[in-house]
């Protein structure tokens, strides 16, 4: 009986799919190692650091970090990489106490607000400046 159980467990182990193996880079037909042609790093140990590196396929990354006012690292940097059409994508960013802000022509932007929406925002700002207040149901709150 024990032999049957062991044989069943062995069969299940052999038949089990090899998770992750199909995703291993070396199993992809287009996989090749990319050489790093430049790699400069400096960390002063006090929160100040910088690094930049470049790969043979055109990826360039750089960043400069300084200690932030709230214990975080403030980082300014950029990265560039080639796109399939031959152009180069570039993203510049700042990460600090205000969050992460990226700037790139690749980042989609919303369409401009229509004129009537801009007018409504202007009216609301005027009413707020006059001290007019509205409740959560849209009714004006009269304060005396």
């Amino acid at each position: 009986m024990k032999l049957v159980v062991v044989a069943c467990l062995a069969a299940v182990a052999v038949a089990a799919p090899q998770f992750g193996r199909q995703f291993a880079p070396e199993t992809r037909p287009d996989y090749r190692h990319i050489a790093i042609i430049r790699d400069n790093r400096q960390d002063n140990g006090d929160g100040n650091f910088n690094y930049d590196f470049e790969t043979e396929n055109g990826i360039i990354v750089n960043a400069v970090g300084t200690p932030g006012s709230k214990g975080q690292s403030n980082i300014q940097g950029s990265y560039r990489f080639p796109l399939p059409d031959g152009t180069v994508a570039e993203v510049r960013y700042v990460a600090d106490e205000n969050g992460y802000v990226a700037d790139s022509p690749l980042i989609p932007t919303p369409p401009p607000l229509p004129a009537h929406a801009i007018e409504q925002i202007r009216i609301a700002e005027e009413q707020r400046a006059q001290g007019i207040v509205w409740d959560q149901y849209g009714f004006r709150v009269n304060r005396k």
Side-chain angles (χ1 to χ4, degrees):
M1 179 65 175
K2 291 180 185 177
L3 181 60
V4 172
V5 171
V6 171
C8 288
L9 288 175
V12 168
V14 170
Q18 301 296 314
F19 292 110
R21 182 72 184 140
Q22 68 271 22
F23 300 112
E26 62 273 6
T27 62
R28 293 182 21 211
D30 62 340
Y31 176 79
R32 68 180 183 93
H33 288 281
I34 304 298
I36 296 176
I37 56 177
R38 182 172 42 91
D39 187 357
N40 301 315
R41 301 166 193 252
Q42 180 180 359
D43 186 351
N44 299 338
D46 59 357
N48 291 295
F49 66 90
N50 63 58
Y51 63 84
D52 67 290
F53 67 86
E54 181 177 358
T55 64
E56 70 178 332
N57 65 344
I59 298 172
I60 300 172
V61 178
N62 65 61
V64 175
T66 57
S69 61
K70 298 180 180 177
Q72 82 286 351
S73 289
N74 290 342
I75 304 171
Q76 289 185 312
S78 67
Y79 50 93
R80 298 175 55 171
F81 55 93
L83 295 171
D85 65 1
T87 61
V88 176
E90 181 169 11
V91 177
R92 297 187 177 281
Y93 66 91
V94 174
D96 57 17
E97 58 273 346
N98 298 317
Y100 178 85
V101 179
D103 180 37
S104 171
L106 297 173
I107 298 173
T109 57
L113 290 174
H116 71 276
I118 294 171
E119 177 64 13
Q120 290 296 314
I121 293 169
R122 185 192 62 74
I123 291 170
E125 288 172 350
E126 285 178 5
Q127 291 173 340
R128 193 173 302 116
Q130 295 170 5
I132 299 173
V133 179
W134 306 88
D135 67 12
Q136 69 267 24
Y137 303 108
F139 293 103
R140 185 173 174 168
V141 176
N142 294 321
R143 296 188 179 170
K144 294 181 182 183

